[in-house]
Amino acid sequence: MKHDYYPPGIKGIDGDYTAALAGNPNTGKSTVFNALTGLNQHTGNWPGKTVTQARGYYRHRGKTAVIVDLPGTYSLSANSLEEEVARDFICFAQPEVTVVMADATCLERNLNLVLQILEITPKVVVCLNLMDEAERKGLKLDVDQLADELGVPVVPTAAHIGRGIAELKDKIHSVAVSEILPRPKPVTYSQQLEEAIRQLETSLQRVYTNGISRRWIALRLLEGDHSVIEAIREYSLAEGKGAE
Amino acid sequence: MGVDAALNLDELIEHGRELRNKLGPETEIQDEIVTSIYRRAEAIASKVAAQAGGRGRDWNKTIDDLLTSRLVGFPLMLLLLGGILWLTISGANYPSNALAALFFMLEDKLTFLFLRWQTPEWLHGLVVLGTFRCLAWVVSVMLPPMAIFFPLFTLLEDLGYLPRVAFNLDNIFKRCGAHGKQALTMAMGFGCNAAGVMAARIIDSPRERMIAILTNNFIPCNGRFPLLISMAVLFLGAGGLKYGSAIASLTVAGMVLLGIGVTFLVSYVLSSTMLKGISSSFTLELPPYRRPQVLQVLVRSVLDRTLFVLWRAVKVAAPAGALVWVLANTNIGGMSIIEHLAGYLDPAGRLIGLDGFILLAFILGLPANEIVIPTLLMSYLGAGALLELESLSAMRELLLARGWTWLTALNVMVFSVLHFPCGTTLLTIKHETGGWKWTIIAVLLTTGTAFLACLLITQVVQTLGLLF
């Protein structure tokens, strides 16, 4: 199943773990991608899509990390092709780590995507980029408190001058090899909605969901978005065929 | 497992539907989810971030409020457009003339060499009067304006102004039944319409995407700016008029506005006839203003855009120049081929205030809009007395001798803005829409609009007797 998501050629690189790079546009995502992978990059289209995908790799602490650059999106609501591609990769390819970029100069706007991704997977590292610009603007950010509030590691960076990249690699490694087990604090909804989520989660236990967060699937079902279920149906069929 | 899993999934969807029905309408649930996430983001951000001095972000917001306000937004947009065009026109004048002088000095030297080597006359004509002269025109007319226009445009882009333009125009596009992102593909069209057509991929709805593709060509690309600029300078802001370059700038700005206006009009017509439907919503981020990296902008716009576009023009101009020279110098029945062709087109041309040669130049300019003017000059020259074209004013003399008036120049500009897309753009449209059908519609739609507009202008001017 995992391999369905790789464009031709990527199968050649078998990393020890895969990290997806998600984030809003204009957060310096490509800069971070370049800083992480240097010249070890390949670009291609997502299979069957007109969205370009870049991937690369680097070695760190004796392991090879494959980085997949997801399209820049503001949310994962599958409103557009880009959002769908990003969402499906996180859901179905299940990278060991998802790095979510956030622009330090407009944190609030960027936290939306972070919180949405945390509903899908706990294995997240937040990369708080453009820290130097935030400092110039006189913004004071309490990185430790942010990590505490979100329940996942947060790495402050200024990628265009290479600041924080080493630490980012460290944190990606730690989450990938489960040295760190992030415990995100979920967004809580109204009592009725939470009750409905709980009931659906119970029915979801009878369905093979390939390890995708049940709470997240429940939420999508409740808001009438069936595309996730259809995607699960498609992929479980493909999986079934592959196993035969 | 396959069958079981499928069954379970259907049960699950059913269960979800039941629960949802108890909770209330779908949209309310969606709203609750989105709002909860936003609130949490807001709460975290306010806990974690503190503004020292409390100025930085407000500054950004103040500018945004101004640039995107109803009252100031539009006039400011027009002012910026006019300003850029004025800088381009007044700045390009001198280097353009200098380059032209240089090239025609070179032409004399070349002619001298050809004479000394006693090469046949046709070879001299083909190489010097055809190929070289066409190249010289393209370079001297195009290079200076592009070298000024592109960096200025890129600076605005770097500042983060373009998304604000899209924001300002979003409302109008919505009312025309088109997508707000069309403002962005339109902005791309100023660079190159083929790029603009390709950029329409950012629009997801096929209907709105088609509208954006079909109307992109109404935005004058950089291949057409030199034509607009030289026409405006020679005929509308010339003759030693005071404020000449201001009038010329206003004329070019007017042409840009005409293109944008027609875009709206045609989008509206399309969305209420062939491509019916309502417009969909989208998120538009207004990125924070960043100080442009001036040096990088200069290098990038000169290398990536100016030289790239110039090289493309040169590649087309050289063979086109040779072809036109052959057409103009091959006689059949006492008249050159070009005169024959222009003769056929003349009635249609006269009707809309142009002439056969002008229409022919637009048709021969299909590979690239940049060569329309050089082609026209060559066919005028080849068919008549051989003038030396050592300056822009000589070009004006030549055109006046051909019976041009300011109305002719105006019609040429209007036709250039509205007429059929260039070859590259057409191929891109075919590729993006998956066939010739929409490509042909694009040609008919644009050329039809151009004919109608020129016809209207000519008839109005002639009826009112405005021509002096």
Side-chain angles (χ1 to χ4, degrees), chain B residues 287-300:
Chain B
Y289 293 100
R290 302 233 159 98
R291 186 181 308 168
Q293 292 164 302
V294 178
L295 202 70
Q296 207 184 324
V297 165
L298 280 178
V299 171
R300 218 168 57 208

Side-chain angles (χ1 to χ4, degrees), chain A residues 20 22 76 86-87 89-91 94-100 113-125 150-152 175 182-185 211-214 216:
Chain A
L76 290 183
R87 186 198 71 182
F89 189 84
I90 297 172
C91 279
Q94 299 191 343
E96 277 79 1
V97 191
T98 300
V99 180
V100 190
L113 183 68
V114 177
L115 291 169
Q116 284 188 39
I117 290 177
L118 285 179
E119 286 188 333
I120 306 181
T121 170
K123 291 185 279 186
V124 167
V125 174
L150 294 171
V152 298
V175 173
R183 294 193 178 282
K185 297 173 182 162
I212 303 168
S213 153
R214 295 201 180 98
W216 184 73

Side-chain angles (χ1 to χ4, degrees), chain B residues 301-313:
Chain B
S301 60
V302 167
L303 289 184
D304 292 2
R305 297 203 186 176
T306 311
L307 289 185
F308 173 78
V309 173
L310 192 71
W311 175 237
R312 205 178 64 114

Side-chain angles (χ1 to χ4, degrees), chain A residues 74 109 137-138 140 203 221, chain B residues 15 20 32 50-52 285:
Chain A
Y74 298 103
R109 186 195 290 174
K137 283 186 170 178
K140 292 241 181 310
S203 333
L221 275 171
Chain B
H15 190 194
R20 193 162 67 232
E32 193 197 325
Q51 178 71 55
E285 189 190 16

Side-chain angles (χ1 to χ4, degrees), chain B residues 183-229:
Chain B
L184 294 174
T185 66
M186 201 170 85
M188 204 78 138
F190 281 112
C192 170
N193 295 123
V197 168
M198 197 112 80
R201 285 179 179 183
I202 61 172
I203 300 172
D204 292 309
S205 135
R207 183 189 74 87
E208 290 158 342
R209 192 173 150 216
M210 193 60 84
I211 295 179
I213 289 177
L214 291 179
T215 56
N216 193 275
N217 199 58
F218 291 132
I219 299 305
C221 65
N222 57 60
R224 288 182 276 170
F225 265 103
L227 179 146
L228 297 179
I229 291 172

